[in-house]
Amino acid sequence: MKNHQSKPDWLKIRLGDSVTYGRTAALLETQGLHTICESGKCPNQGECWSRGTATFMIGGDICTRSCKFCNTRTGRPLPPDEDEAARIAKAVKELGLKHVVLTSVDRDDLPDYGVGHWVKVIDTIKEYNGLVKIEALIPDFRGEKALINRILQTEVDVVAHNLETVRRITPEVRSVASYDISLQVIAQIAASGKIAKSGIMVGLGETTDEVEQAMADLLEAGCEVLTIGQYLQPTRVHYPVKSYISPEQFALYKQSGLQKGFRYIESGPLVRSSYHAENVIS
C-alpha cells in the first residue's frame, strides 16, 4: 500500500490478561461508560486496565470535529447524559482509583461547548471521592477564556490540553483547532496556578527542529508536563504514518525537554496523554 510503513518491533503492544483488567472492562461495560482507551485504540489499554486505571471520555462518544489522526467517531452527538457524572463517580469508587483522568469529545454543538457537563462530572467525582486526584484533558472550547475558567475554578488538580503536533502540520491533521489557540489555552491554565500539561505526537512528518520548537513554545506558555508518543494510524482512511521514531530519539527528546525546563516528561513510542498520569503529582 502506498506510504505504508511496517511497524518496528518496539511497537509490540502488551495485552491485558489479569483479573484486574477483566474487572475494569466489566465495570466500564455495565456502567455504560466510554473510555479513550477504547475509542482511541490506545496501545497501553492492556497495561493500564491491568493496573485498574482508565481514562474516562465524557460527553458521549461522537465528536463534532474530524481530526485526521483521531479514531473517535464524527457526527451529530446526542445530548449529554445527565446520569453520566454519577456513574463515573461510582466507577471511580468501585475501582479504588486515586488518580482519575477525564477527557471528552468536542461538543461544538452545545452553547457552552460542553463545559457545564465537564464541571458536573468533576464536582460529582469529588463529592463521592473527596481524596481522589483529577486530571482534566480538555478540548480548546474555541479558546473562550470564560468557559475555560469554569474548569479552572473546580477542584481539578491537573489540566491538560494537547498541542498534538508541530505548527506546520497542525492545519493538515487538526479540525477547527489551531496551534496558537492551543498555546493560549495552555497559557491560561498555567496562569491559574493549576499544573499545565500537554502532549504531542511524532511520526507525522515533522523534523527534529520542529519538535524542539514546539517544546520551546509550550514552555513559553507555561507548560510543566509533556507527553511525546508515536502516532499510529487508526485505519487506512486516517492520516498516514510518515515515520516510526526510534526509542533512542524519544530518549533524546526527553533529555532535551528536561534540559529546557519541563518538570516532568513521558516520552516513548507507546506513550499517550494519560500514560502514568498519576506520577505528575505523586
Side-chain angles (χ1 to χ4, degrees), residues 138 145 148-149 152 159-161 163 179-198 217-224:
I138 63 171
K145 292 187 176 182
I148 296 167
N149 272 334
L152 298 174
V159 183
H161 173 68
L163 190 62
Y179 190 88
D180 288 317
I181 287 179
S182 286
L183 289 175
Q184 291 169 20
V185 171
I186 292 161
Q188 184 177 352
I189 296 167
S192 75
K194 302 285 187 183
I195 297 174
K197 177 180 175 180
S198 191
D217 292 341
L218 285 167
L219 278 170
E220 185 176 357
C223 185
E224 297 180 64

Side-chain angles (χ1 to χ4, degrees), residues 13 21 31 52-53 57 83 86 98 100 114 135 144 150 166 172 196 204 220 224 245 255-256 264 276:
I13 296 172
Y21 175 92
Q31 291 295 326
T53 65
M57 186 169 71
D83 296 327
K98 296 180 180 179
V100 178
E135 176 178 315
E144 293 198 16
R150 291 179 61 188
V166 301
E172 296 182 35
L204 292 160
E220 185 176 357
E224 297 180 64
I245 310 305
Q255 181 182 32
S256 176
Y264 185 89
H276 291 172

Side-chain angles (χ1 to χ4, degrees), residues 38-106:
E38 297 169 292
S39 66
K41 292 188 175 180
C42 179
N44 301 305
Q45 179 177 323
E47 179 187 354
C48 294
W49 284 22
S50 294
R51 297 201 324 264
T53 65
T55 298
F56 297 100
M57 186 169 71
I58 66 175
D61 61 349
I62 301 176
C63 188
T64 54
R65 301 185 187 181
S66 55
C67 297
K68 293 181 181 178
F69 62 84
C70 183
N71 194 53
T72 302
R73 290 189 296 163
T74 300
R76 181 177 295 179
L78 297 171
D81 184 346
E82 294 298 323
D83 296 327
E84 183 175 53
R87 295 202 311 278
I88 290 177
K90 180 179 178 182
V92 169
K93 182 175 284 294
E94 289 193 24
L95 289 170
L97 303 183
K98 296 180 180 179
H99 190 105
V100 178
V101 182
L102 303 172
T103 190
S104 78
V105 292
D106 285 285

Side-chain angles (χ1 to χ4, degrees), residues 18-282:
S18 73
V19 173
T20 306
Y21 175 92
R23 177 171 170 265
T24 301
L27 179 61
L28 294 172
E29 182 177 0
T30 57
Q31 291 295 326
L33 299 174
H34 303 295
T35 68
I36 196 63
C37 319
E38 297 169 292
S39 66
K41 292 188 175 180
C42 179
N44 301 305
Q45 179 177 323
E47 179 187 354
C48 294
W49 284 22
S50 294
R51 297 201 324 264
T53 65
T55 298
F56 297 100
M57 186 169 71
I58 66 175
D61 61 349
I62 301 176
C63 188
T64 54
R65 301 185 187 181
S66 55
C67 297
K68 293 181 181 178
F69 62 84
C70 183
N71 194 53
T72 302
R73 290 189 296 163
T74 300
R76 181 177 295 179
L78 297 171
D81 184 346
E82 294 298 323
D83 296 327
E84 183 175 53
R87 295 202 311 278
I88 290 177
K90 180 179 178 182
V92 169
K93 182 175 284 294
E94 289 193 24
L95 289 170
L97 303 183
K98 296 180 180 179
H99 190 105
V100 178
V101 182
L102 303 172
T103 190
S104 78
V105 292
D106 285 285
R107 294 300 306 256
D108 296 322
D109 59 310
L110 300 174
D112 69 349
Y113 306 133
V115 166
H117 190 68
W118 265 96
V119 171
K120 179 179 179 180
V121 172
I122 293 169
D123 289 347
T124 304
I125 290 173
K126 278 291 188 180
E127 181 182 347
Y128 277 67
N129 312 271
L131 298 179
V132 72
K133 301 295 183 182
I134 300 177
E135 176 178 315
L137 173 56
I138 63 171
D140 63 9
F141 299 122
R142 300 274 180 156
E144 293 198 16
K145 292 187 176 182
L147 295 178
I148 296 167
N149 272 334
R150 291 179 61 188
I151 302 290
L152 298 174
Q153 289 166 0
T154 68
E155 293 185 66
V156 69
D157 299 280
V158 180
V159 183
H161 173 68
N162 285 343
L163 190 62
E164 305 292 8
T165 186
V166 301
R167 181 182 291 277
R168 175 178 57 85
I169 297 176
T170 293
E172 296 182 35
V173 300
R174 298 183 76 188
S175 167
V176 181
S178 79
Y179 190 88
D180 288 317
I181 287 179
S182 286
L183 289 175
Q184 291 169 20
V185 171
I186 292 161
Q188 184 177 352
I189 296 167
S192 75
K194 302 285 187 183
I195 297 174
K197 177 180 175 180
S198 191
I200 60 173
M201 302 170 290
V202 290
L204 292 160
E206 71 290 327
T207 67
T208 300
D209 285 345
E210 286 177 316
V211 174
E212 295 285 348
Q213 184 60 56
M215 288 195 285
D217 292 341
L218 285 167
L219 278 170
E220 185 176 357
C223 185
E224 297 180 64
V225 179
L226 177 65
T227 61
I228 307 174
Q230 170 71 50
Y231 168 63
L232 297 175
Q233 184 179 9
T235 72
R236 292 186 178 184
V237 301
H238 287 84
Y239 196 81
V241 174
K242 298 299 179 69
S243 62
Y244 288 109
I245 310 305
S246 70
E248 291 77 17
Q249 182 59 54
F250 276 106
L252 289 174
Y253 282 144
K254 179 174 183 176
Q255 181 182 32
S256 176
L258 292 174
Q259 289 174 347
K260 289 179 188 297
F262 284 101
R263 181 168 63 82
Y264 185 89
I265 296 178
E266 286 282 355
S267 178
L270 296 179
V271 167
R272 294 296 179 267
S273 301
S274 58
Y275 188 61
H276 291 172
E278 65 276 13
N279 293 341
V280 173
I281 52 178
S282 60

